[in-house]
Amino acid sequence: MPYPSITTSYTGVSTKDILQLLVLGNEAFEKGALYVHEDVDDKGLELSRMVVASDIIQPYQSMPTVPSNAMTITPRRLDPVKMMLFDFINPMEFQSYWKQFQSEGPLEDKVLNPQVQAAIIDAYSKRSDNQLGRLIWQGSKALAPTSPLRYIDGIVTRAIADASVLKTTPTGVLTTGNVIAAFNALDALISDALFEDPDVVFACSTGTFRLYQQAVRALTNKGQGPAEWVPAVCNNRKIVTFSGFPANYILAGKMTSNSATTNLHAAVNAEDDASNLVIQKWRPEGDLYFIKATFSLDVNYGFAEELFLSPQV
């Protein structure tokens, strides 16, 4: 098979740049929704969690003898899973097509045009980042062996299965008729200790936020008009959207890139591993080049009691 698969035979003048389909990357990292722990090896990482129980005050004793035993240490693990990106590229495939992008050098030692190399690295990097962005939220080890999201359990997947995560009562698929109520119901679940915390935000898919915008515009007595942008805010709480977030779910919790204030964590070898792609010749006697990146990832939350989920289905 050809590497890459080129569907044109045109040999005339073409644009000076290689045009690419716009793809959103790893928005969870880009928007600072998680704290990223780097240099995590195969042994994994434990989140150091300390909990002190409530109501620890006792009557006064001149010689105390009964401890409250209020402190518990319960670590939560992150075990990054190794993944890779790998594909072949044949510089000779460009010989029959766009002239300015043809491979360079003698016939026996063709090398990829530098402009083509840069475009290939950029395009592959965006696609891998996009897949990682979906894995962070909706990955599931229970998916089929062929699923692109089978490598890790994402944040929403873990929250769905965790009985300690408070959840609203499902009311069906999100629509313009129920999306505002869904945000309000989730907001009502947030504990008093977190209710005024500015780091507690809503997270949802871009599609869910579009429904919210339409619902706000449809309000009879208040809200923005059809020509106005609806702010990403509900009940004075920020709404952060992610294209890789599962539809019909809304999550609330502390989401920042600061280890001391966030409840969401990611463990990697290096944050930019998925973007650190290598292009080299596959074998010295052949024409093929390969493109490769190796990386690892796992995600988890610190406290289930500080995460709130609205599952509508």
Side-chain angles (χ1 to χ4, degrees):
M1 64 175 294
Y3 306 102
S5 176
I6 300 178
T7 57
T8 181
S9 59
Y10 179 68
T11 59
V13 177
S14 63
T15 58
K16 67 177 182 178
D17 296 314
I18 298 176
L19 308 182
Q20 296 181 41
L21 179 68
L22 183 60
V23 178
L24 290 171
N26 185 349
E27 294 179 293
F29 284 10
E30 294 166 0
K31 295 185 177 182
L34 309 91
Y35 178 74
V36 181
H37 301 266
E38 297 191 83
D39 299 320
V40 180
D41 59 22
D42 293 342
K43 295 180 180 179
L45 174 75
E46 285 194 342
L47 299 176
S48 306
R49 307 189 313 158
M50 180 181 70
V51 178
V52 176
S54 59
D55 302 327
I56 59 175
I57 297 175
Q58 302 182 22
Y60 171 76
Q61 303 172 61
S62 59
M63 180 60 69
T65 58
V66 181
S68 60
N69 293 321
M71 181 185 296
T72 56
I73 303 294
T74 54
R76 189 182 289 270
R77 289 193 57 80
L78 290 99
D79 293 295
V81 175
K82 285 186 177 179
M83 295 169 269
M84 65 179 287
L85 178 160
F86 180 78
D87 208 351
F88 283 124
I89 300 155
N90 187 352
M92 298 293 284
E93 291 293 331
F94 291 90
Q95 287 303 105
S96 303
Y97 306 110
W98 312 303
K99 183 173 178 57
Q100 64 266 43
F101 301 133
Q102 288 181 1
S103 305
E104 301 177 345
L107 192 61
E108 283 302 313
D109 193 23
K110 287 293 182 185
V111 297
L112 278 173
N113 180 299
Q115 190 174 356
V116 174
Q117 286 195 44
I120 288 172
I121 289 175
D122 188 48
Y124 274 80
S125 176
K126 287 177 181 176
R127 281 297 185 184
S128 62
D129 280 350
N130 178 273
Q131 186 175 352
L132 289 173
R134 287 179 286 141
L135 275 166
I136 284 170
W137 299 113
Q138 54 182 310
S140 173
K141 295 178 181 179
L143 292 172
T146 55
S147 171
L149 301 180
R150 67 189 183 277
Y151 302 103
I152 65 170
D153 288 329
I155 296 292
V156 174
T157 304
R158 290 179 182 272
I160 292 170
D162 193 337
S164 296
V165 174
L166 288 179
K167 302 174 181 71
T168 61
T169 302
T171 58
V173 173
L174 286 174
T175 66
T176 55
N178 65 12
V179 68
I180 293 178
F183 275 104
N184 288 336
L186 186 59
D187 193 64
L189 277 186
I190 297 173
S191 62
D192 291 349
L194 295 173
F195 190 72
E196 296 184 10
D197 191 324
D199 291 328
V200 176
V201 301
F202 294 117
C204 65
S205 70
T206 306
T208 294
F209 180 61
R210 290 177 187 270
L211 288 174
Y212 176 75
Q213 287 183 310
Q214 295 170 26
V216 170
R217 291 191 184 105
L219 293 172
T220 303
N221 299 318
K222 53 186 176 180
Q224 282 72 26
E228 299 174 280
W229 173 261
V230 177
V233 177
C234 182
N235 294 338
N236 201 37
R237 200 176 303 285
K238 185 178 179 181
I239 301 173
V240 186
T241 63
F242 303 94
S243 63
F245 203 93
N248 299 306
Y249 288 91
I250 308 170
L251 192 70
K254 292 165 69 72
M255 303 181 202
T256 76
S257 57
N258 186 320
S259 63
T261 58
T262 190
N263 194 28
L264 305 187
H265 299 262
V268 300
N269 176 59
E271 187 170 349
D272 61 351
D273 270 351
S275 302
N276 188 18
L277 283 85
V278 174
I279 294 184
Q280 292 183 4
K281 201 159 190 178
W282 177 239
R283 291 174 63 97
E285 72 272 22
D287 295 324
L288 286 181
Y289 276 64
F290 70 87
I291 181 169
K292 180 184 177 184
T294 304
F295 41 89
S296 59
L297 172 70
D298 196 17
V299 294
N300 211 332
Y301 41 83
F303 294 98
E305 298 82 1
E306 294 185 353
L307 207 60
F308 312 91
L309 182 67
S310 173
Q312 295 305 113
V313 292

